[in-house]
Amino acid sequence: MEITRMRHPIRTAAVLATAGVLLAGCSARMPVSINTATAPNSFATSPMATLTGTPTEVVTGLGAPWDVVLFKGTALISSRNSGDILEVLPGGSTRLVGTVPDVQHTMESGLLGLAVGNDSTLFAYSTTADDNRIERFTVEGSAGSFSLGVEEVVVDGLPTNSFHDGGRIAFGPDGMLYASVGDAGNGAAAQDEERLNGKILRMTPDGAAPADNPFPGSLVYSLGHRNVQGLGWASDGTMFAAEFGQDAWDELNVIQAGANYGWPEVEGPGGGNDYVDPVQYWAPDDASPSGLTVIDDTIFIANLRGEVLRAVPTADLDTSQDYYAGEYGRLRSVLPGPDGMLWIVTNNTDGRGDPGDGDDRILQVPVTAP
């Protein structure tokens, strides 16, 4: 299907990242109050939402799904390798909504995160031959016949590589669009306020830097990240991010404006006054956290290498509860489904998993409030 393409002439990351003069007088190492870490793998003792019953299948036979959003009540899936966006039909079959143009997949890159705008537009984070970018699409038609319409580049020029591309996008409770950008293999750049590697960005739906961002004229919201792939908010507005470590620790962090999370100077806890410590951390073999969501003030985190769904109550960030260890393989994403369900997206066809019958799948399980 034909997609009309539009471009903001000034909304390039390369331009927005050059606010060096403005940034020179600002320090990312702002005083922060969250600086407590916890021993990994502690068991939950605080009230939290729980999962009951055996997960059931919503859809099967997916190829390298990366993200799922509900658009007007219908599930839309991003297919990392192909750039396709699929619509889930009643009964669990899928149909092609459209293909994001110019997607280039190598290893971890491709079509990644999706987000739904408040005006019923669809945002997508993807890799091209030259960059990572965020685009906005009108979605035409209705359930069962959705199609991608006008395409508009929101931000381009984001750092890219075949790995560490970040790629999670989500609208916060403030109506702003947040995006995780990986270090793209350049850890040192994650500490450079003028570069977008290893950052969480905050922008208006049009790709502009909000006036209340911590660094004037810049999209940068927080820095010192290696590869964040999970973003979510508690009911009080507290922002959480799940982050891949390297050899020592994966992290769950509380995200604060202007704060520095240490990579590559520190991995896990021990940052002292210069960096914010994670509130939980795990060995990569037990975690490799990707997508997260917050339901009833319980953080649910999908883990790839750990092959586990982890729950953390926001009221007691020292504790956690694990579900489905090894039962469904690699887990890429998790989201609130309809009718009080939690949806879990497996990722066994991404080249690093061991696909079983029906992979990849979206599973659903009821959530019980605390």
Side-chain angles (χ1 to χ4, degrees):
M1 61 191 62
E2 182 177 354
I3 297 174
T4 305
R5 309 188 69 179
M6 299 175 62
R7 177 182 294 270
H8 282 301
I10 63 171
R11 293 288 186 252
T12 62
V15 172
L16 291 168
T18 57
V21 174
L22 290 172
L23 291 171
C26 303
S27 172
R29 297 176 184 175
M30 299 169 65
V32 292
S33 59
I34 302 296
N35 201 28
T36 58
T38 139
N41 301 322
S42 54
F43 189 80
T45 58
S46 179
M48 68 166 76
T50 56
L51 307 181
T52 56
T54 301
T56 58
E57 293 175 342
V58 176
V59 61
T60 62
L62 301 173
W66 207 92
D67 203 2
V68 178
V69 293
L70 294 180
F71 183 87
K72 298 183 178 180
T74 295
L76 300 183
I77 304 167
S78 66
S79 305
R80 185 194 67 182
N81 297 2
S82 65
D84 291 344
I85 295 177
L86 304 178
E87 173 185 2
V88 178
L89 302 174
S93 61
T94 61
R95 63 173 293 274
L96 178 66
V97 173
T99 301
V100 175
D102 303 324
V103 169
Q104 178 167 300
H105 157 64
T106 307
M107 294 178 63
E108 298 175 5
S109 64
L111 175 57
L112 305 176
L114 300 176
V116 177
N118 59 12
D119 56 353
S120 297
T121 52
L122 183 69
F123 291 72
Y125 185 117
S126 65
T127 310
T128 74
D130 302 314
D131 61 4
N132 279 308
R133 59 182 54 187
I134 300 170
E135 295 162 294
R136 177 172 57 197
F137 298 84
T138 59
V139 180
E140 300 172 348
S142 57
S145 63
F146 284 130
S147 63
L148 293 185
V150 175
E151 174 209 5
E152 187 176 9
V153 175
V154 176
V155 172
D156 58 6
L158 300 175
T160 185
N161 205 325
S162 58
F163 54 88
H164 300 186
D165 288 282
R168 194 68 63 181
I169 56 176
F171 279 94
D174 56 1
M176 297 298 165
L177 181 64
Y178 292 76
S180 67
V181 181
D183 70 4
N186 186 343
Q191 288 294 316
D192 187 340
E193 298 164 4
E194 298 179 30
R195 303 183 67 176
L196 299 185
N197 307 61
K199 306 297 191 295
I200 293 175
L201 309 182
R202 177 177 181 261
M203 66 193 76
T204 70
D206 292 324
D212 59 347
N213 265 11
F215 308 115
S218 172
L219 298 182
V220 173
Y221 190 71
S222 63
L223 67 158
H225 300 289
R226 183 172 181 266
N227 195 23
V228 168
Q229 285 191 4
L231 299 174
W233 289 262
S235 62
D236 65 358
T238 300
M239 182 179 179
F240 295 92
E243 180 167 348
F244 289 89
Q246 181 167 272
D247 300 317
W249 303 114
D250 294 333
E251 301 178 355
L252 175 66
N253 285 297
V254 172
I255 301 301
Q256 297 183 352
N260 189 326
Y261 292 83
W263 176 256
E265 302 302 321
V266 63
E267 185 178 351
N273 293 327
D274 287 334
Y275 309 111
V276 180
D277 281 348
V279 292
Q280 281 211 29
Y281 55 97
W282 315 273
D285 283 346
D286 298 325
S288 297
S290 188
L292 72 76
T293 192
V294 186
I295 300 175
D296 292 326
D297 282 331
T298 300
I299 308 163
F300 291 97
I301 309 167
N303 291 273
L304 293 164
R305 288 172 65 182
E307 299 187 353
V308 65
L309 182 69
R310 183 162 287 126
V312 178
T314 61
D316 185 358
L317 293 172
D318 290 344
T319 63
S320 64
Q321 170 77 58
D322 289 353
Y323 292 91
Y324 318 127
E327 293 186 35
Y328 301 106
R330 293 162 60 83
L331 306 182
R332 171 64 71 180
S333 192
V334 61
L335 67 147
D339 302 322
M341 306 294 278
L342 179 76
W343 281 16
I344 306 164
V345 184
T346 72
N347 210 193
N348 297 311
T349 60
D350 68 344
R352 294 179 175 176
D354 183 15
D357 292 341
D359 279 333
D360 269 311
R361 296 173 278 177
I362 299 175
L363 306 167
Q364 63 179 0
V365 62
V367 182
T368 302

